[in-house]
Amino acid sequence: MSLPRDVQDRLRAKGPEFGRDALILPVQTRNGSTYYLADDVEAMRAARAAGLDAEYLLAQEERRYLNEFATGWELEMALAVAQNLAANGIGTVIGYVWARVRLAIQRGRHPGPETEVPVRLRIAQLEYAEQGSVKIKGLEIDGSAEDATALLGTILAGPVTARMGLRSSSVEQRADDQGGETTAP
C-alpha cells in the first residue's frame, strides 16, 4: 500500500486497537516530510457528519498541510480502519467518502455530479502478526466516487466477494506488494 513510511511506522506504533473506527491519514510527502492535503482540514467534520468515529493520525500541533491538489484527481484521502470494523462501520466509511465528495463539489473543485467525482482512496487495516509485530493490509482505489464506494463496500464486506468485485470492477486497485500487505520488520 502506498502510504508514506513515517505514516506506516506511526500506524504500527498505535496497533490495531486504536480506539476509533478510523484514523484520517496524511497522504503526501515532500522533502522527507508528510503532509495532509488542504481538503483534510474539513475531514473531521465530514467524518462526524457520516457518523464515523474518527481522529487524525497526527495531533493538531504536528499536522502540516499542502495547499495543492493531487495531480489529475479531484479528491484524495486515506483512512486506517479498525480491525474489528462492524457492518454498520462499513456504511459509515462509505458515508464519509460521500461527505468528502459533496465538500469537493461545494468548494468548486469538481462540477459534479457526485457519482462522477474522481477519487483516490487509500484504506489501511491493521492486525497483529507473529511475535507482536503489526501488519498493515490495505488497498488503493482510483476511480469515480460511485465505482470506488461500490468496490470499497464489496472489499470491506468480505474477502470472497472482494476478489469477485475486483475482477468485475472498472476501478483500479493497487498494492505495493503481493496481497496488498506490508509487514513490520
Side-chain angles (χ1 to χ4, degrees):
M1 182 152 126
S2 62
L3 290 175
R5 187 55 152 181
D6 65 322
V7 171
Q8 291 181 33
D9 292 343
R10 284 178 182 257
L11 286 172
R12 285 188 187 100
K14 277 197 174 282
E17 289 129 25
F18 43 78
R20 303 280 182 182
D21 292 334
L23 297 171
I24 300 166
L25 308 176
V27 296
Q28 293 295 315
T29 302
R30 298 288 187 279
N31 300 321
S33 296
T34 305
Y35 295 87
Y36 283 94
L37 294 173
D39 278 355
D40 291 326
V41 171
E42 296 185 10
M44 191 59 66
R45 181 177 351 146
R48 289 183 182 136
L52 187 63
D53 181 20
E55 67 181 19
Y56 290 98
L57 176 64
L58 303 177
Q60 183 174 0
E61 61 274 5
E62 295 180 277
R63 278 182 243 143
R64 295 175 298 229
Y65 294 90
L66 283 177
N67 289 321
E68 64 182 50
F69 302 114
T71 307
W73 293 94
E74 301 298 333
L75 185 58
E76 184 173 3
M77 66 186 96
L79 288 174
V81 295
Q83 179 178 358
N84 57 350
L85 189 67
N88 62 340
I90 295 167
T92 56
V93 169
I94 292 169
Y96 168 74
V97 174
W98 285 110
R100 296 285 305 268
V101 164
R102 284 189 291 281
L103 279 170
I105 292 171
Q106 290 170 4
R107 300 288 181 255
R109 298 219 20 244
H110 192 274
E114 292 177 5
T115 56
E116 294 179 13
V117 172
V119 299
R120 174 171 288 149
L121 176 62
R122 297 177 189 147
I123 299 289
Q125 203 165 17
L126 285 68
E127 63 182 42
Y128 288 112
E130 332 150 339
Q131 301 162 343
S133 66
V134 175
K135 185 188 313 182
I136 301 173
K137 296 169 49 173
L139 70 142
E140 184 173 313
I141 302 171
D142 293 347
S144 71
E146 182 173 52
D147 289 342
T149 55
L151 182 58
L152 179 61
T154 300
I155 290 169
L156 291 180
V160 172
T161 54
R163 285 192 296 277
M164 291 170 35
L166 284 173
R167 281 192 215 109
S168 64
S169 175
S170 62
V171 177
E172 179 182 349
Q173 186 262 346
R174 290 193 250 155
D176 284 344
D177 55 16
Q178 188 172 11
E181 298 180 4
T182 306
T183 306

